[in-house]
Amino acid sequence: MQAVLEGRALAKTYRSGDIDVLALRGVDIRVAPGECVAVVGRSGCGKSTLLHLLGGLDRATAGEVYVEGRRVDGVSDAEWARLRRRRIGFIFQAFHLLDAMSALDNVALPARLAGHDRAGARKRAGDLLCELGLENRVEATPAQLSGGEQQRVAIARALVNRPAVVLADEPTGNLDTDSARTVLELLTTQRGEDRGLLIVTHDPRVAAGADRVVRLRDGLVVGDTALAAAGTRPAQLVELEGW
Ligand code: ADP
Ligand code: MG
């Protein structure tokens, strides 16, 4: 099956003063349609760097990126921006909502930028916010929302243009346990039949909900494990906690 997102031999070297930091040293990763892949590993192992390269937020030093089978690592910044508007959704630890806008307008904005009319964009945004349990919060601004609610708005925003794949960087990192659980459940159930989901996290509980766990250490893949169906995971979860 064609991957919705694939990285091949991805390498990234950051120049920091006189020192080269080898953040990624040749990483292969692939997300199939409908698959949830967790990328795990300690702080500094290269998780965010990998997500940035796969979403075109930064450029690889070497290697290739494919979105829905099309090679895109060499495309222009404008084309990457178009891809991010239409085919790739992002969710960050710090939500990154626009403070001056309502939840509804935050979610509708990417749809407007992708060319949908105002009424259509607002309708789709409203429907998504309802699906995510925020029907009473559509007019609230981010400051009026809890962290968990803000992240649910961010999920709706990431999904509004029906992307092929969603990239999430520590999506529960700023949330309490209950909100984190809700956000994860929504993320995994909202991914749909064909949509891929890549979550980078240092939290074993987050990774335990994935279909597959890719482990990074010092910029290299050191493990790639398919998890059994939900409900039969306790033993593997214990294993994961040993990383
Ligand atoms: P993680 O998300 O797993 O914590 P990162 O991808 O953020 O890891 O970082 C990987 C390595 O690259 C770390 O050693 C980090 O300090 C370094 N790094 C990340 N971004 C930069 C940057 N912009 N300049 C220099 N070094 C960086
Ligand atoms: Mg990180």
Side-chain angles (χ1 to χ4, degrees):
M1 207 186 321
Q2 181 180 285
V4 285
L5 183 66
E6 186 173 357
R8 290 190 198 158
L10 285 175
K12 178 70 179 178
T13 303
Y14 294 107
R15 187 90 191 156
S16 183
D18 287 342
I19 300 164
D20 281 339
V21 180
L22 278 66
L24 290 180
R25 300 188 286 155
V27 166
D28 293 315
I29 189 155
R30 112 186 256 293
V31 183
E35 188 182 32
C36 174
V37 177
V39 174
V40 303
R42 295 210 164 86
S43 178
C45 72
K47 303 184 295 297
S48 294
T49 299
L50 177 60
L51 185 132
H52 292 164
L53 300 185
L54 291 171
L57 296 177
D58 199 358
R59 302 270 178 171
T61 309
E64 301 168 5
V65 179
Y66 295 80
V67 174
E68 299 179 286
R70 173 185 166 211
R71 186 165 174 191
V72 293
D73 48 89
V75 303
S76 66
D77 289 347
E79 179 58 15
W80 263 120
R82 201 193 69 85
L83 275 169
R84 282 192 299 271
R85 268 201 306 277
R86 294 173 180 274
R87 306 309 298 151
I88 305 172
F90 277 93
I91 298 166
F92 299 100
Q93 177 169 353
F95 320 134
H96 293 313
L97 299 174
L98 295 172
D99 293 335
M101 284 189 180
S102 68
L104 188 75
D105 287 332
N106 264 282
V107 178
L109 183 62
R112 293 285 283 147
L113 293 174
H116 294 280
D117 65 38
R118 183 179 145 87
R122 287 174 69 86
K123 168 81 171 71
R124 165 104 178 117
D127 288 349
L128 267 172
L129 287 168
C130 283
E131 278 179 44
L132 294 168
L134 294 171
E135 56 279 1
N136 298 322
R137 313 298 279 143
V138 290
E139 291 306 332
T141 60
Q144 295 167 329
L145 298 171
S146 71
E149 288 171 334
Q150 289 183 65
Q151 196 61 306
R152 282 189 270 161
V153 174
I155 293 172
R157 179 184 55 186
L159 296 174
V160 74
N161 289 329
R162 298 187 171 87
V165 62
V166 173
L167 305 179
D169 194 349
E170 306 278 4
T172 61
N174 282 342
L175 304 180
D176 62 72
T177 311
D178 283 347
S179 307
R181 190 177 303 122
T182 308
V183 157
L184 272 180
E185 278 172 16
L186 290 170
L187 253 183
T188 45
T189 55
Q190 290 289 322
R191 74 180 188 268
E193 300 247 310
D194 293 333
R195 184 172 294 140
L197 173 61
L198 184 91
I199 303 183
V200 315
T201 181
H202 68 279
D203 185 343
R205 289 167 302 181
V206 173
D211 301 315
R212 199 153 55 80
V213 178
V214 173
R215 196 173 306 204
L216 282 191
R217 187 181 298 147
D218 295 337
L220 286 170
V221 173
V222 294
D224 189 337
T225 314
L227 297 189
T232 59
R233 286 178 177 162
Q236 283 171 317
L237 183 52
V238 172
E239 247 174 69
L240 280 173
E241 273 161 0
W243 76 52

